[in-house]
Amino acid sequence: MKASIDSIETFGLVDGPGIRCVVFFNGCMLRCKYCHNPEMWQRREDNYTIDEVFDKIMRCKPYFRETGGVTFSGGEPLLHAPFIIELCKKLKEEGIHTCLDTAGVGFGNYEELLKYIDLVLLDVKHTGKEGYKDITGSELGEVENFIDACNKLEKKIWIRQVVVPGIMDNEEYLDSLVEYLKHIDNIEKIEFLPFHRLGREKYIKLNIPYPYEDKKDMDKDKCNELYEIFLTKYKASK
């Protein structure tokens, strides 16, 4: 069995707890306007076997210590579920922590994969149907099936919310996010990530129009202020 993998980062520090080996899979059904990895949208030729990825991860194992491990990212790793399941079976024999960085949009039947995942990093694209469709180009719906599977298996979840100026930087959206998160169990952490234009050059090289040409980078201090406002609302709702 092979999978289409763009790259493997061996010392990731922002994709889950501790030092992590991050596997970036090609292919995604969404076309998020703020995506900074458009080169991974298309699934290219399968280029890695399970054993090849396992061997690369095992070389990193001494650096994982108590908190590190492997994160499956992309693109959308859910599109490679059979490959990840078989890889995780080997990783679990080595006691390696596994993390799934996902938008929650795959081909369904998520429970089998989630059995082998210790932590889910779930990207919230937008809380409303119209906003979700505008940002991703897809209907809001499949991610709900993924969330249901996470809840059923009591998976630990970190929420990630990209804050785009003019869209998420207002109290109305923060209120909607508080309500949206009420149906997600076992949330351990919520992160606000300020929108940035660092991926713009990739769009230009790929001859793809950059969707947020009119947007400026989200001010980090403003993003932190919004997070504190959100956190107060979120805690009050519990």
Side-chain angles (χ1 to χ4, degrees):
M1 185 185 298
K2 286 188 174 183
S4 177
I5 294 174
D6 179 83
S7 59
I8 300 176
E9 182 180 330
T10 53
F11 287 94
L13 298 173
V14 296
D15 298 288
I19 295 174
R20 309 195 69 81
C21 181
V22 187
V23 183
F24 293 92
F25 290 88
N26 288 313
C28 183
M29 292 188 284
L30 305 183
R31 293 295 180 267
C32 299
K33 290 182 176 179
Y34 55 69
C35 178
H36 57 272
N37 290 328
E39 73 278 13
M40 299 182 200
W41 284 348
Q42 300 297 328
R43 177 165 178 164
R44 287 171 269 169
E45 183 179 354
D46 292 341
N47 56 347
Y48 272 90
T49 67
I50 291 172
D51 286 341
E52 286 172 337
V53 178
F54 178 75
D55 289 343
K56 283 183 174 289
I57 294 170
M58 288 302 296
R59 294 188 204 122
C60 301
K61 185 180 178 182
Y63 302 98
F64 294 158
R65 299 181 181 176
E66 294 82 11
T67 58
V70 180
T71 297
F72 304 112
S73 187
E76 178 50 69
L78 289 177
L79 304 186
H80 298 268
F83 182 94
I84 295 174
I85 288 171
E86 295 306 313
L87 175 57
C88 281
K89 289 178 181 178
K90 294 170 68 71
L91 296 175
K92 285 304 163 188
E93 291 179 356
E94 298 293 333
I96 294 176
H97 183 274
T98 55
C99 180
L100 185 72
D101 183 2
T102 177
V105 179
F107 299 126
N109 299 316
Y110 302 117
E111 290 181 27
E112 183 61 27
L113 170 58
L114 287 171
K115 290 177 184 177
Y116 299 97
I117 298 298
D118 298 306
L119 174 66
V120 174
L121 306 183
L122 180 61
D123 297 323
V124 174
K125 304 302 183 181
H126 198 284
T127 59
K129 292 182 179 180
E130 291 183 7
Y132 187 93
K133 179 67 178 292
D134 177 66
I135 288 174
T136 69
S138 298
E139 300 294 336
L140 176 61
E142 185 58 32
V143 63
E144 304 302 322
N145 296 327
F146 179 77
I147 290 171
D148 288 344
C150 289
N151 288 343
K152 183 177 180 180
L153 294 182
E154 300 180 341
K155 289 287 121 177
K156 297 176 181 178
I157 295 179
W158 289 10
I159 297 294
R160 287 177 156 183
Q161 172 70 73
V162 174
V163 181
V164 181
I167 300 177
M168 291 94 173
D169 57 342
N170 58 81
E171 291 210 32
E172 181 180 358
Y173 184 81
L174 298 183
D175 289 338
S176 73
L177 182 59
V178 169
E179 289 301 310
Y180 185 80
L181 297 184
K182 285 182 178 180
H183 79 294
I184 303 178
D185 301 334
N186 302 307
I187 296 176
E188 289 193 335
K189 185 176 182 180
I190 302 171
E191 298 177 312
F192 275 21
L193 308 176
F195 164 78
H196 60 72
R197 291 159 53 93
L198 296 179
R200 180 176 177 272
E201 295 304 317
K202 294 182 180 180
Y203 285 78
I204 294 173
K205 289 180 180 179
L206 293 169
N207 199 29
I208 301 172
Y210 186 60
Y212 281 158
E213 194 65 62
D214 62 328
K215 299 288 186 186
K216 295 182 179 179
D217 286 3
M218 182 69 204
D219 182 81
K220 292 182 180 179
D221 290 336
K222 175 65 174 178
C223 190
N224 290 335
E225 290 176 11
L226 289 167
Y227 178 75
E228 292 302 322
I229 294 171
F230 161 79
L231 204 57
T232 299
K233 292 174 178 287
Y234 183 68
K235 289 179 178 178
S237 73
K238 302 188 71 71

